[in-house]
Every structure is written in structure tokens, then in C-alpha cells.
Amino acid sequence: MPSPTTILVTGASGGIGAAIAEHLAAPGVRVALFARRKDQLDEVARKVGQRGAEALVLVGDVADFESVEAAYAGLVAKWGSSIDFAYLNAGAGGVFPLSKFKADRVRRIFEVNILGLVNWLHFLLPPMLEARRGTIVGTSSMAAQRGGPNSGAYSASKAAVTNLLESIRLEARHSGVTVCTVEPGFVRTDMTAVNKFPMPFIMDPADAAKVICRAAQRGKSMIRFPWPLQAGMAVMRWMPNWMYDRVTGTMLGQDSE
């Protein structure tokens, strides 16, 4: 019999992470679910099990190295260190104006979005490189492409995610390990529910999960969607500052709280 496909999903208690876990669940698949909220993880695990997959609930905080270490040890004890796909999806949002700019708010966003990724990579990369196989799928954001008003911490943290994953992809390109960066637009989740600004082309998590999983399984290095929003971002990425300032100026002064 072929070995089961083993998948890790962080940020699996809701939103895109839960949708990825449910989308990939099938007989012959093992799905490790990592997040802070056990009650919601248990519900995702139940749905994963209904689809014939084996689920493993791992409770912890990606920003806490010891928490990740304990979760990884539990995963290895249960299924071994051979992970086929790691969907590193956990993330923290943050939309606030300069008048509410505080170091602790910015620090938490970076701890979750970038250090949370780093903590899991610390444990995942060595066995994947040794085995010369495995796929890392890291969730960044289209917000990584340019800074936006009221979202400097989030945009900067996601830019760090995109650049880190690209660097790892370049180093790993002959190792057998595949690295895929995901830059979605707006997805209907708890994180975006607090936004008070228009979110064009917003998608449901299930639809986003289908796009992500399909592209990751095809070995794509970058996934940006939906395409109409990405087309707009491509134009904005090359705008001179004076033009970009004018286009985004209408967003200034908006407060999410």
C-alpha cells in the first residue's frame, strides 16, 4: 500500500486554514491541525474525519517557539517526520492609524506572521532537506506588494514573509523541496470582518482553498489571486510615489476601531 499523504496546516481553526484542511481531507490522507483554539480545531478535525482522513489536533501559538516545538514533537511521535505538504497559514491582521501606532501591536503582528513561520520552518526544513522531498506553502498577502495606509505593520510583515520564502525557494531549488508563496487578495474571514473599507473581489475561504491547493500540488512557486485584483496591484506596484499617494489618499483617516 502507498504511504499516507501527511499534511500540516497552521492557522487551521478557521478561515483559509480550516478550508484547506477540509478541502484536502480524503481517505489515505493525514491532516495535522495547529492553532490556538482547541474547540474550533476539534470541529475542523470532525469535518476532516467525515471525509475519510485522519486528523491530529495540535494546540499552540505559532509565535511561541516552545509551543511549536511541543506540537512538532507530538506530530513526529504520531506520524513521524515525513511531511508531504506544510501549509503555513497562521496570520494576524492589524489595521490602525498612526494615532494608534504602538510597539506592542506591531510586535504581535510580526511575531505571528513572520516569526510564526520561522518557528515552524526551524523544525520542518531539516527533515525535508534530508529526505529531498516535501512542499512548504506559506501564506503571505497581496498587501506585501506595497505599503498601504493604516496597515503598515501588516504589509511589512507580509513583505518579510514573501521575501523569506523566495530566498528559501532559491536555495532549495535543487534539493527536492518545493516552496510556494501564496499572496491572496481579500478572503472572507474573521480577520477581514473588521475592515471598514471596500474589499473588491472578496472570496469565500473554500474558493480560496481550492485555488491554493491546486496551485501548490502543481508545484507553482507563487500564487496570486484573484487575477483582477492582482492586475490592479501590478499596476500600482510600478506607480511612482506621487501617483500612488494620490490613488491611496482616499483611504487615509479610516479607522478600523
Side-chain angles (χ1 to χ4, degrees), residues 70-145:
Y72 182 72
L75 173 56
V76 171
K78 181 75 171 178
W79 292 335
S81 61
S82 180
I83 296 174
D84 298 290
F85 288 87
Y87 289 84
L88 304 182
N89 175 74
V95 181
F96 49 87
L98 290 181
S99 61
K100 296 185 179 180
F101 190 97
K102 302 292 182 184
D104 59 341
R105 303 184 76 172
V106 175
R107 184 179 299 112
R108 178 60 183 174
I109 291 170
F110 269 78
E111 286 174 347
V112 173
N113 292 351
I114 184 64
L115 294 182
L117 180 77
V118 168
N119 288 341
W120 270 107
L121 289 173
H122 174 88
F123 295 102
L124 294 170
L125 282 173
M128 283 187 174
L129 291 171
E130 183 177 357
R132 300 188 65 81
R133 59 184 293 273
T135 298
I136 299 288
V137 185
T139 301
S140 181
S141 169
M142 269 193 212
Q145 297 181 44

Side-chain angles (χ1 to χ4, degrees), residues 171-183:
E171 288 190 68
R173 66 189 184 279
H174 301 305
S175 72
V177 176
T178 301
V179 179
C180 173
T181 304
V182 180
E183 288 191 356

